[in-house]
C-alpha cells in the first residue's frame, strides 16, 4: 500500500517543474490573477527585460482596489486611479490578457470573481499579487499571495520559485451554534493560534464544521489564512465544491467535467495523510467574535470583556498596551455596547451573496441608527445583480443602508470610501490595522456581516443573536 | 544577472514593536501609483505623523542608517512590494529582527535585501547597544551567517535558499526560472487541467 498523501503534497508534486539550485521548487502556476495595484510595475519590469507573457490564456485581470463605489464612470475623478486603470487596460491589451472591467459585467474583487467565474478549480496552483489569494484554497487549490517582482516572474515564466511550507491541519470539531458564522470561525482560529502562528505553514482546514460549510463560507475561512500568518490555506475538494463549480463559465463541460471530477477527487488528502502539526478546535466553543485591537488576533467573544493586562502573556503586553491606547479602550471593558460611526459590509472576506443575504435578514428587523454611516458593497457585479434580483438592495435601502457599486471599497480605502478622523467602524473585512480604513487614526472592529448589520441598527456592537 | 549580496555594512536604526504591518510601513493611499519611484519619503508616514517627530525614522541619530532593526513578525499583512520598496528607497539595505512575515521576506529577497533573524536575547542586546550608540558600525555578513556590532558577533538566522540566492546573485528569480526552458511547457502539458481534461 502506498502511504497516504495530503492534497498539498500531491498538488506540489504535480506542479513542480524542477528543484532550483538554491533548494527552492520551481512551481508551475495554473491560474494567475492580476489587479491594478500590484501589476503595473511588474509589466514595466517585463518590458525592461524584453520579455513577454508566457501563458496569457492562464492570466486574468480585473479592477477592484481603486474603483469608486458611487459610480464606475470614466474617467475616474481621481487622476492617479485613472492612470492605474489605463495602465492595466494597456498592459492587458498588449499582452492578450482577458480583463474583466466594468463593461464586461464580470468586474469585482479579484478573489470574488475567480471562484464565481469557475476560474478557480480544485488542485490548481493559483497566484495573485495580493495576500488574500489564500481565499482560492477553499476549492482545494494551493493559492499564494505574491509580491510585484513575483508577479513579473509568473508573467514571464508562469512559474514561481517557492520554498515548500510545512503543513498544519486544523480540525474544527462538533458544530456551530446559531448566529455563529464562518467569519467567527476564522477569527477564533486566529485568536487561538496568533497572527504569526501560521508563518512557515500551509493550513489545511478540516473537521465536521468545515465539511458542513457552503462554498462561500469556506471562502471566508481560507481568505483570512494570511491574517493568521499562513500564506496558504485550503480545504479538501468534495461534492460541495463540485456542485458549486458545475455550469460556471470557465468550469469544464461534458466529458471533460467527469474527467475533472475524478481527478479532483483523487487529489484530496487521503485519510491518515501526514501533516507536521495538528490542532483541534471545538466548534461549540466559538462565539460571535469581534476584534478590539489593531491586529486580527486581538479579538473577543461579543459577550466577553476586552482582556485585562494580567490575562495577557508578557511578550504580548507592549502590543496590548499599544492597541488599547490606539483604540481608546480600557482593559476589562465589555466590547458589546461600543458605539460605532460607520458600518461596512463587503470585501473579499464577506462580500458574497450569502453574506449580503445574512446581513439583509438583520437589516429587515429595523432601521440604521441615527448618525451611523453605512456602506453595503457587493463583491462583484455578478453578486450585485443577484442581490438586486432578490430585492436585497431594496431591503438595505429601506432600512437606511447605502447600497454601492462593487469593489474593495473601505476594506483598504484606496478609493474615496474612507473613515474620517477617529471614527469607529464595524467592518466585515479582514484587517483592523492602524490606518487600514483610510484615516490614520480611524478604528476598525472586525466581525461577521450579520454582526455589522446588527451594529448598524443599534449604533453599537451588538450580539447578533439578540436581533435575529 | 542580479548583483551578489554578501554583506551589508553601516549604521542601524532601531524600530521596536511586533506585528508591524504593511499598512503602517506604507499606507494604502500611496499605492495609487504605476511606479515605485518616490515611495521612500512616505515610509511609515502615518506613524511618523502621529509620533510628531518622535519616530525612529525621524531620529537624527539614526539618519543615514542602512540596517533596520525590528521586532517580531515584521511586515505582516498585505503582499504589497511597495513596503520593502519604500524602505529600500528610504535607504535600508538589510533588515534584522526576531521574525518576518513570509511574503514580506520573499519580497525583500526579490529586491536583494536580506532579512536576518537573531535570538531574542541577542536582538535585545543589539537594540540596546544601537540605541545607546547609534554611530557604531553594524555588519550583516551572509557568508559567515553572523551580525557584528560593538558588543561582538551574533549568529544570524537566514533561510538557506535565500542566502544562496543572495550570495550567488540569483535573487531576481525570473532569469533563473527561464533557464528551465521548454521543461516548463513539458510539465504544464502533464497537468490535467492545463491539457483541458482530455477535451479538445
Ligand atoms: S477586498 Fe480588501 S483584502 Fe480583499 S482584495 Fe480588496 S483590498 Fe484586499
Amino acid at each position: 500500500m502506498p502511504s497516504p498523501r495530503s492534497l498539498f503534497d500531491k498538488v506540489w508534486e504535480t506542479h513542480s517543474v524542477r528543484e532550483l539550485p538554491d533548494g527552492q521548487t520551481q512551481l508551475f502556476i495554473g491560474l494567475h490573477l492580476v489587479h491594478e495595484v500590484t501589476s503595473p510595475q511588474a509589466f514595466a519590469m517585463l518590458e525592461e527585460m524584453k520579455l513577454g507573457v508566457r501563458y496569457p490564456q492562464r492570466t486574468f485581470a480585473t479592477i477592484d482596489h481603486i474603483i469608486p463605489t458611487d459610480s464606475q464612470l470614466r474617467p475616474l475623478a481621481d487622476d492617479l486611479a485613472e492612470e492605474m486603470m489605463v495602465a492595466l487596460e494597456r498592459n492587458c491589451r498588449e499582452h492578450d490578457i482577458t480583463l474583466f472591467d466594468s463593461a464586461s459585467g464580470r468586474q469585482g474583487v479579484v478573489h470574488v470573481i475567480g471562484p464565481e467565474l469557475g476560474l478557480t478549480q480544485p488542485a490548481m496552483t493559483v497566484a495573485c499579487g495580493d495576500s488574500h489569494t489564500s481565499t482560492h484554497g477553499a476549492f482545494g487549490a494551493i493559492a499564494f499571495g505574491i509580491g510585484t517582482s513575483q508577479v513579473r516572474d509568473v508573467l514571464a515564466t508562469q512559474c514561481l520559485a517557492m520554498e515548500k511550507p510545512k503543513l498544519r491541519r486544523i480540525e474544527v470539531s462538533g458544530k456551530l451554534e446559531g448566529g455563529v458564522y464562518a467569519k467567527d470561525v476564522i477569527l477564533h482560529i486566529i485568536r487561538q493560534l496568533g497572527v504569526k502562528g501560521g508563518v512557515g505553514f500551509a493550513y489545511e482546514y478540516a473537521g465536521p464544521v468545515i465539511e458542513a460549510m457552503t462554498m462561500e463560507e469556506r471562502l471566508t475561512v481560507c481568505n483570512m489564512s494570511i491574517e493568521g500568518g499562513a500564506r496558504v490555506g485550503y480545504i479538501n475538494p468534495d461534492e460541495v465544491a463540485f456542485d458549486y463549480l458545475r455550469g460556471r463559465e470557465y468550469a469544464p463541460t461534458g466529458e471533460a467535467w467527469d474527467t475533472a471530477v475524478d481527478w479532483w477527487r483523487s487529489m484530496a488528502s487521503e485519510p491518515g495523510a501526514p501533516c507536521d502539526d495538528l490542532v483541534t478546535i471545538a466548534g461549540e466553543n466559538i462565539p460571535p467574535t469581534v476584534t478590539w485591537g489593531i491586529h486580527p488576533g486581538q479579538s473577543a467573544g461579543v459577550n466577553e470583556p476586552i482582556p485585562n493586562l494580567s490575562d495577557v502573556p508578557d511578550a504580548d503586553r507592549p502590543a496590548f498596551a499599544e492597541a488599547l491606547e490606539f483604540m481608546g479602550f480600557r482593559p476589562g471593558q465589555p466590547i458589546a455596547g461600543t458605539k460605532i460611526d460607520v458600518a461596512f459590509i463587503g470585501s473579499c472576506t464577506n462580500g458574497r451573496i450569502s453574506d449580503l443575504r445574512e446581513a439583509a435578514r438583520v437589516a429587515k428587523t429595523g432601521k440604521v441608527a441615527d448618525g451611523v454611516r453605512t456602506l453595503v458593497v457587493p463583491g462583484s457585479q455578478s453578486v450585485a445583480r443577484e442581490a438586486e434580483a432578490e430585492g436585497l438592495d431594496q431591503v438595505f435601502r429601506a432600512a437606511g443602508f447605502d447600497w454601492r457599486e462593487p469593489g474593495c471599497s473601505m476594506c483598504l480605502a484606496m478609493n474615496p470610501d474612507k473613515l474620517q478622523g477617529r471614527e469607529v467602524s464595524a467592518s466585515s473585512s479582514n484587517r483592523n490595522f492602524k490606518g487600514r480604513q483610510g484615516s490614520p487614526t480611524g478604528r476598525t472592529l472586525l466581525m461577521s456581516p450579520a454582526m455589522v448589520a446588527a451594529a448598524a441598527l443599534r449604533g453599537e456592537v451588538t450580539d447578533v443573536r439578540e436581533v435575529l | 544577472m542580479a548583483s551578489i549580496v554578501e554583506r551589508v555594512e553601516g549604521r542601524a536604526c532601531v524600530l521596536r514593536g511586533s506585528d508591524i504591518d504593511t499598512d503602517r510601513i506604507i499606507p494604502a493611499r500611496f499605492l495609487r501609483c504605476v511606479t515605485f519611484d518616490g515611495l521612500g519619503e512616505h515610509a511609515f508616514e502615518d506613524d511618523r505623523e502621529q509620533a510628531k517627530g518622535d519616530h525612529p525614522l525621524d531620529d537624527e541619530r539614526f539618519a543615514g542608517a542602512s540596517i533596520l532593526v525590528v521586532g517580531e513578525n515584521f511586515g505582516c499583512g498585505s503582499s504589497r512590494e511597495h513596503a520593502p520598496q519604500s524602505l529600500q528607497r528610504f535607504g535600508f539595505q538589510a533588515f534584522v529582527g526576531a521574525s518576518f512575515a513570509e511574503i514580506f521576506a520573499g519580497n525583500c529577497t526579490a529586491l536583494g535585501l536580506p532579512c536576518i533573524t537573531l535570538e531574542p536575547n541577542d536582538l535585545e542586546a543589539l537594540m540596546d547597544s544601537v540605541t545607546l550608540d547609534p554611530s557604531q558600525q553594524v555588519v550583516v555578513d551572509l557568508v559567515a551567517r553572523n551580525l557584528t556590532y560593538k558588543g561582538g558577533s551574533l549568529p544570524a538566522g537566514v533561510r538557506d535558499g535565500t542566502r544562496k540566492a543572495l550570495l550567488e546573485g540569483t535573487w531576481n528569480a525570473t532569469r533563473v526560472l527561464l533557464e528551465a526552458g521548454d521543461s516548463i511547457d513539458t510539465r504544464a502539458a502533464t497537468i490535467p487541467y492545463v491539457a483541458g481534461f482530455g477535451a479538445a
Side-chain angles (χ1 to χ4, degrees):
Chain A
M1 275 283 283
S3 44
R5 299 168 71 209
S6 64
L7 174 135
F8 185 62
D9 282 348
K10 289 188 262 188
V11 172
W12 193 274
E13 192 186 292
T14 309
H15 292 79
S16 157
V17 175
R18 60 173 184 148
E19 282 298 300
L20 293 170
D22 64 9
Q24 293 188 308
T25 307
Q26 177 160 356
L27 211 58
F28 185 83
I29 298 303
L31 174 65
H32 184 201
L33 300 168
V34 168
H35 65 80
E36 74 282 9
V37 181
T38 55
S39 69
Q41 298 87 347
F43 282 105
M45 295 179 200
L46 208 62
E47 237 150 74
E48 220 169 273
M49 295 178 81
K50 303 208 175 355
L51 293 168
V53 175
R54 181 111 173 194
Y55 277 78
Q57 72 281 19
R58 307 214 71 82
T59 313
F60 297 85
T62 191
I63 295 171
D64 50 10
H65 288 64
I66 53 152
I67 198 146
T69 57
D70 49 356
S71 153
Q72 298 192 344
L73 284 185
R74 304 286 298 278
L76 303 179
D78 175 355
D79 291 340
L80 293 174
E82 177 66 22
E83 191 185 348
M84 293 170 83
M85 200 111 145
V86 169
L88 184 65
E89 287 164 339
R90 188 191 53 236
N91 289 326
C92 288
R93 203 169 44 238
E94 283 177 3
H95 296 282
D96 270 329
I97 293 169
T98 304
L99 169 64
F100 301 115
D101 60 8
S102 301
S104 72
R106 298 179 185 80
Q107 174 266 337
V109 180
V110 65
H111 311 307
V112 175
I113 67 164
E116 75 188 9
L117 290 169
L119 287 165
T120 310
Q121 297 169 15
M124 268 186 170
T125 46
V126 181
C128 172
D130 192 284
S131 61
H132 289 101
T133 307
S134 58
T135 312
H136 306 265
F139 290 88
I142 299 303
F144 304 99
I146 55 177
T148 295
S149 295
Q150 289 178 307
V151 172
R152 171 201 63 203
D153 296 345
V154 182
L155 289 172
T157 70
Q158 202 61 30
C159 293
L160 280 172
M162 295 294 295
E163 199 157 325
K164 190 176 177 191
K166 288 181 289 190
L167 183 61
R168 171 178 293 146
R169 185 167 299 131
I170 301 177
E171 288 198 0
V172 188
S173 65
K175 63 191 202 31
L176 300 178
E177 301 200 337
V180 177
Y181 295 91
K183 179 63 156 287
D184 301 309
V185 172
I186 187 62
L187 283 174
H188 186 79
I189 290 173
I190 299 167
R191 181 182 174 197
Q192 298 296 315
L193 301 181
V195 288
K196 37 193 172 274
V199 173
F201 283 98
Y203 278 177
E204 178 181 280
Y205 303 98
V209 165
I210 302 291
E211 284 158 23
M213 283 183 178
T214 65
M215 207 54 227
E216 297 200 348
E217 292 171 323
R218 295 176 183 191
L219 287 161
T220 300
V221 170
C222 291
N223 173 271
M224 288 187 70
S225 302
I226 187 67
E227 270 66 49
R231 193 171 187 179
V232 167
Y234 73 88
I235 294 168
N236 280 297
D238 60 7
E239 296 308 318
V240 174
F242 310 151
D243 287 347
Y244 177 96
L245 276 171
R246 191 176 289 116
R248 302 225 168 227
E249 190 172 344
Y250 286 87
T253 51
E255 268 175 47
W257 170 262
D258 298 329
T259 317
V261 171
D262 287 345
W263 185 63
W264 293 340
R265 258 199 202 107
S266 75
M267 294 296 278
S269 296
E270 294 145 37
C275 58
D276 302 287
D277 190 37
L278 175 66
V279 174
T280 308
I281 294 203
E284 293 83 2
N285 295 346
I286 303 177
T289 300
V290 181
T291 63
W292 47 260
I294 53 172
H295 70 57
Q298 294 172 322
S299 67
V302 64
N303 295 315
E304 294 167 34
I306 293 169
N308 280 300
L309 191 62
S310 54
D311 308 328
V312 179
D314 279 354
D316 295 341
R317 288 189 181 181
F320 176 74
E322 185 184 359
L324 289 197
E325 193 197 330
F326 184 84
M327 298 299 288
F329 290 146
R330 282 171 287 111
Q333 173 183 343
I335 188 73
T338 305
K339 296 268 173 276
I340 65 150
D341 305 294
V342 174
F344 171 65
I345 296 171
S347 87
C348 59
T349 312
N350 284 125
R352 282 172 277 269
I353 188 70
S354 54
D355 300 312
L356 300 185
R357 284 187 194 130
E358 285 303 309
R361 204 149 74 87
V362 175
K364 235 183 220 156
T365 66
K367 289 259 183 291
V368 171
D370 282 346
V372 175
R373 207 149 54 87
T374 59
L375 285 158
V376 183
V377 184
S380 70
Q381 290 180 321
S382 153
V383 171
R385 272 195 304 273
E386 210 174 334
E388 284 163 10
E390 293 176 20
L392 299 183
D393 59 326
Q394 295 307 328
V395 172
F396 283 117
R397 285 202 172 102
F401 285 84
D402 197 357
W403 178 255
R404 315 286 287 198
E405 302 273 333
C408 293
S409 180
M410 210 193 270
C411 175
L412 96 166
M414 271 187 78
N415 75 347
D417 306 337
K418 291 182 198 321
L419 293 183
Q420 308 293 331
R422 298 251 302 147
E423 277 183 336
V424 174
S425 152
S427 179
S428 74
S429 55
N430 43 53
R431 286 185 178 149
N432 51 343
F433 298 151
K434 288 182 179 179
R436 173 72 178 184
Q437 293 194 287
S439 162
T441 52
R443 295 169 286 173
T444 301
L445 309 175
L446 302 175
M447 58 190 84
S448 72
M451 286 275 290
V452 174
L457 300 187
R458 299 271 181 96
E460 58 183 41
V461 174
T462 302
D463 186 340
V464 67
R465 294 170 296 191
E466 292 170 18
V467 179
L468 283 178
Chain B
M1 188 56 55
S3 60
I4 286 169
V5 183
E6 290 183 335
R7 54 197 265 135
V8 175
E9 189 170 351
R11 285 179 305 109
C13 168
V14 177
L15 179 67
R16 288 179 190 266
S18 53
D19 306 315
I20 291 181
D21 59 77
T22 48
D23 281 83
R24 286 171 69 178
I25 299 173
I26 186 83
R29 61 183 181 280
F30 302 116
L31 272 49
R32 284 155 49 248
C33 56
V34 293
T35 74
F36 290 125
D37 303 342
L39 283 181
E41 59 187 282
H42 299 302
F44 282 104
E45 178 142 323
D46 291 344
D47 276 14
R48 291 161 72 186
E49 170 80 33
Q50 282 163 47
K52 300 195 172 50
D54 201 16
H55 191 276
L57 266 64
D58 293 316
D59 188 335
E60 272 174 30
R61 303 178 323 136
F62 294 136
S66 46
I67 297 167
L68 185 63
V69 186
V70 297
E72 254 187 282
N73 199 27
F74 185 74
C76 61
S78 89
S79 68
R80 63 185 72 156
E81 192 171 300
H82 305 66
Q85 287 273 3
S86 76
L87 294 171
Q88 183 182 36
R89 278 154 215 268
F90 188 87
F92 297 114
Q93 295 159 38
F95 303 95
V96 178
S99 62
F100 294 90
E102 237 161 299
I103 306 182
F104 178 86
N107 283 340
C108 286
T109 307
L111 299 177
L113 305 171
C115 289
I116 66 158
T117 56
L118 297 181
E119 289 303 321
N121 290 340
D122 289 350
L123 180 65
E124 205 44 50
L126 174 70
M127 283 183 162
D128 288 345
S129 172
V130 173
T131 308
L132 274 175
D133 175 13
S135 69
Q136 66 179 294
Q137 283 295 106
V138 176
V139 183
V140 170
D141 189 333
L142 289 173
V143 180
R145 282 181 189 266
N146 65 18
L147 175 144
T148 316
Y149 75 119
K150 229 175 142 178
S153 169
L154 307 170
V158 53
R159 285 187 171 192
D160 289 339
T162 308
R163 175 171 175 264
K164 212 161 167 201
L166 292 167
L167 289 181
E168 293 176 2
T170 55
W171 43 269
N172 176 336
T174 301
R175 293 274 174 234
V176 179
L177 295 170
L178 279 173
E179 285 165 16
D182 292 344
S183 62
I184 297 175
D185 311 305
T186 317
R187 171 42 93 183
T190 67
I191 304 173
Y193 64 88
V194 178
F197 291 114

